Amino acid sequence: MSNETTQKRSLSVSLGAAFLMATSAIGPGFLTQTSQFTAKYLSSFAFVIVCVIIMDMIAQTNVWSIVGVSGLRGQEIANKVLPGLGYLLVVLVVLGGLAFNIGNVGGVSLGFNAMIGIPEKAGVIIGGVLAICIFLSKKANDIVGKVAQILGGIIIVVMLVVAFMAKPPVGDAVVHIFTPENPKELIPVMVTLLGGSCGGYITFSGAHKLLDAGWGGKPEEVKHFRKSVLTGICVSGSVRILLFLCVLGVCTAGTVVVAENVAAVTGAANPAAEAFRLAAGDIGYRLFGLALFSAGITSVIGAAYTSVSFLKTVHPFIAKNDKWFIVGFIAFSTLVMAILGGAKVSDKIGVIENLFNKVDSLIIGGGMAYTFFKALGYNIGNSLLDADSIELAKKLMLDADAKGVKMLLPVDTVVAREFKADAEYMTVDSDRIPDGYMGMDIGEKTAKLFGEEIRKAGTVVWNGPMGVFEFDAF
């Protein structure tokens, strides 16, 4: 192999690892958090972004350097520090990666839906199949890196186009990097974003990819790890900056705040999608779909690959068959999302009907509960509603009664006027949600009622949270 070919191969491996790490970070949650915080803190959020990028560089460069010089995976290093610690790390990373991957598959589905109108359930299946096909290919190791680079490039181009159309006040943002308003209030936000940038499996995704390419274990190879990680952070940082500018441009006209747009973005179920729509109309919304699809697919790939890269040192069988463990990881995530994902009653009809034959009690909460409230004739204000399933909800309640299954619904509900973290909220009886308010969480009476029922159970099957868990108040 010629020196030129070797250099090209090295560059390809380095970029593949860099983009795998970067696109693992740029998932659906990354897009939502950046959009929400930008709409809330406006130009001052530039200070947070710059600080997070700097801290991300320091943290990840240290981790990648240790992996590079030792030639060991994260869990192997942990076991050297404290015997057994690595196995705990494996469990935490795999469980966390699985939880995130279910959401990532959902992100792919939402991207498909926004981009070309594919139903969410079909989008989940297609997204899972696409990710599985990548790992089933003969040159999966090379293709994973290439796919991450291509889709990462698409995300950057989309963000750049929409940011340009939004006409953000760049000068004002630069000034606020050095003079942010209420900096103490920005510290918790900084911690949240840093965790999303380099927490969990994300830090190790690219570093383990370089180990799988045969790098590491020699002091002279550390430079490759550092170059790759800094490239990846530049990619993820660039996407965050461009998304910030897009949302900032939507929420301001020069240095004047456009309150209507701020409310629209912070109150939207998908803040980034709303910002893109306000910036560029229907085209912007479809471009958001493309960006979300790209972010979702690459995050699915990154979470599955990295989780199994931790598992493969547990037993030689896993290392020998790592491809099939990755495929199984993605297939399981897809199956869970396809069966249990979504807030529509119709999305979960099969699960609910099957549970009637297996459970004594069934607790309904979260976004789906409001459709049942509507079926009971309650006023639900602006709460989430699957209007097409009201009659279905009535039928399910009758079926539960006929089969002797105790179906519990929230008796009190935490409501707010706006869908945002710092919204003012109050607790009301579930049959008295005021007009203009939306349900955000179950109330204390309901928490006590549900808790008492769960404590009596021998087996509990849990689907998801009862409220908007992304916000600390709920």
Side-chain angles (χ1 to χ4, degrees), residues 76-352:
E76 294 172 317
I77 295 171
N79 273 332
K80 295 235 178 235
V81 173
L82 180 65
L85 181 60
Y87 296 111
L88 176 60
L89 184 61
V90 169
V91 172
L92 293 175
V93 168
V94 172
L95 291 179
L98 184 61
F100 275 105
N101 220 35
I102 294 170
N104 292 336
V105 174
V108 177
S109 168
L110 292 174
F112 267 133
N113 183 262
M115 187 167 49
I116 51 178
I118 292 178
E120 291 179 18
K121 193 75 71 176
V124 167
I125 302 300
I126 295 171
V129 170
L130 283 175
I132 287 172
C133 287
I134 290 170
F135 284 103
L136 288 178
S137 60
K138 291 182 179 180
K139 295 184 177 181
N141 286 335
D142 293 332
I143 292 176
V144 165
K146 291 292 184 185
V147 168
Q149 290 176 58
I150 292 169
L151 295 182
I154 289 173
I155 295 171
I156 291 174
V157 170
V158 168
M159 295 292 172
L160 186 61
V161 169
V162 179
F164 179 79
M165 297 175 74
K167 300 177 181 179
V170 177
D172 188 54
V174 171
V175 169
H176 278 81
I177 292 175
F178 306 99
T179 58
E181 298 175 12
N182 303 317
K184 289 184 179 180
E185 188 179 343
L186 299 173
I187 293 175
V189 178
M190 208 177 292
V191 174
T192 299
L193 288 194
L194 185 62
S197 297
C198 62
Y201 65 87
I202 295 170
T203 297
F204 297 97
S205 55
H208 284 190
K209 184 73 177 138
L210 292 181
L211 291 180
D212 285 341
W215 290 3
K218 300 175 182 178
E220 61 269 20
E221 291 185 344
V222 174
K223 62 183 180 182
H224 296 302
F225 282 78
R226 289 175 177 168
K227 181 179 179 180
S228 183
V229 69
L230 290 175
T231 301
I233 293 170
C234 286
V235 172
S236 60
S238 296
V239 172
R240 198 183 294 276
I241 290 169
L242 290 172
L243 179 56
F244 158 72
L245 291 175
C246 168
V247 179
L248 183 64
V250 165
C251 293
T252 58
T255 57
V256 178
V257 177
V258 182
E260 181 181 352
N261 286 356
V262 170
V265 173
T266 55
N270 196 319
E274 183 63 14
F276 274 51
R277 187 189 66 78
L278 290 170
D282 184 62
I283 293 176
Y285 186 70
R286 294 188 185 281
L287 284 174
F288 163 78
L290 177 59
L292 183 58
F293 161 77
S294 301
I297 281 287
T298 50
S299 293
V300 168
I301 292 170
Y305 167 81
T306 311
S307 296
V308 175
S309 78
F310 273 82
L311 273 176
K312 67 198 301 182
T313 58
V314 173
H315 196 279
F317 179 77
I318 301 176
K320 185 179 179 180
N321 298 279
D322 61 340
K323 177 176 74 173
W324 296 108
F325 276 87
I326 293 173
V327 168
F329 192 91
I330 297 172
F332 181 77
S333 303
T334 303
L335 185 63
V336 170
M337 190 66 201
I339 294 174
L340 299 178
K344 292 184 178 181
V345 176
S346 56
D347 285 344
K348 303 182 182 181
I349 176 64
V351 176
I352 294 174

